[in-house]
Amino acid sequence: INDKDITTLKKDNLSKFRRNELGFIFQDFNLLDTLTAYENIALALTIQKVKTAEIEKRVHDAARKLDIMDTLEKYPYQLSGGQKQRLTIARALVRNPEILILDDSASALDFATDARLRKAIRENTKDMTVFIVSQRATTIRNADTILVLDDGKLAGMGSHKQLLKECDVYREICLSQLSKEEVERDEQ
């Protein structure tokens, strides 16, 4: 990554790389219940010793973009699943990582909330490399490149349109999740 073989990094340098270059959004929110939403978002910046005024600006910018301004003084246990998910996205984005990894982060969300989150992620990650791990076709269909795994093996690689035509496993997944009309429209 950036001409560095990260597999050769020693413990401290690997930790620094993860802290400074990567953002993670997991299926499990990993929020600290003793901290407010604001404090959860600001935590990594506080650890990095970012100035208080800059932390406040970044947290509020991220919260506005993800429509969670009204939750900043609440604790995670007071939030809905969708609000917690937006909180974890804000926490990752506020650091401006070069690489963002979303590991099945929307699987517990309803489709409408998932669609709003995909839009927010798309609008706020223009200069990032984004890896999305998902079982939902709607979550990954607009990705530049999709890797299809079947029983742990690579079954296909390409765009949504290419895979619909060339990868039976992907087409089957899409047909099980999307309408036949949507799939046929996407093939054209």
Side-chain angles (χ1 to χ4, degrees):
I1 299 174
N2 291 334
D3 296 324
K4 291 183 223 167
D5 180 355
I6 64 166
T7 63
T8 63
L9 294 177
K10 301 292 182 227
K11 188 177 183 179
D12 289 342
N13 286 333
L14 185 58
S15 292
K16 184 179 175 184
F17 171 77
R18 277 195 220 118
R19 185 176 56 247
N20 296 333
E21 309 290 330
L22 298 179
F24 298 97
I25 303 170
F26 298 105
Q27 183 176 5
D28 183 20
F29 305 120
N30 295 319
L31 298 170
L32 300 173
D33 278 333
T34 58
L35 300 180
T36 64
Y38 180 96
E39 293 164 335
N40 267 282
I41 296 169
L43 184 60
L45 298 174
T46 304
I47 291 168
Q48 291 176 333
K49 298 186 180 6
V50 173
K51 293 183 180 181
T52 304
E54 179 66 16
I55 291 173
E56 187 172 330
K57 177 188 176 307
R58 288 197 205 176
V59 170
H60 283 109
D61 284 349
R64 263 190 295 284
K65 289 176 182 175
L66 294 163
D67 195 27
I68 54 169
M69 283 295 291
D70 61 335
T71 67
L72 291 180
E73 298 307 316
K74 294 182 179 179
Y75 291 88
Y77 61 85
Q78 297 172 304
L79 303 177
S80 70
Q83 290 169 323
K84 288 179 185 178
Q85 194 62 59
R86 285 181 278 168
L87 173 57
T88 62
I89 292 168
R91 183 179 58 190
L93 294 179
V94 77
R95 294 181 32 248
N96 299 316
E98 286 188 40
I99 300 167
L100 182 64
I101 301 170
L102 294 96
D103 185 8
D104 216 6
S105 58
S107 64
L109 303 179
D110 63 76
F111 285 99
T113 303
D114 181 33
R116 284 194 305 276
L117 289 176
R118 282 194 317 273
K119 181 177 186 254
I121 290 168
R122 195 170 44 254
E123 290 173 351
N124 293 287
T125 58
K126 294 195 185 325
D127 296 326
M128 292 180 204
T129 299
V130 180
F131 293 93
I132 301 172
V133 178
S134 181
Q135 297 180 42
R136 285 187 179 173
T138 53
T139 300
I140 51 98
R141 79 199 291 181
N142 294 316
D144 296 329
T145 304
I146 300 168
L147 304 177
V148 181
L149 299 179
D150 184 30
D151 202 21
K153 294 186 174 72
L154 186 64
M157 183 170 106
S159 69
H160 174 69
K161 189 173 185 173
Q162 288 172 310
L163 290 168
L164 284 174
K165 292 178 181 177
E166 301 169 7
C167 180
D168 292 338
V169 172
Y170 186 75
R171 184 173 174 74
E172 184 179 318
I173 291 167
C174 289
L175 285 170
S176 73
Q177 297 178 17
L178 307 170
S179 71
K180 185 177 179 186
E181 292 78 22
E182 278 183 286
V183 172
E184 289 172 353
R185 185 189 67 231
D186 287 352
E187 287 178 313
Q188 298 175 6

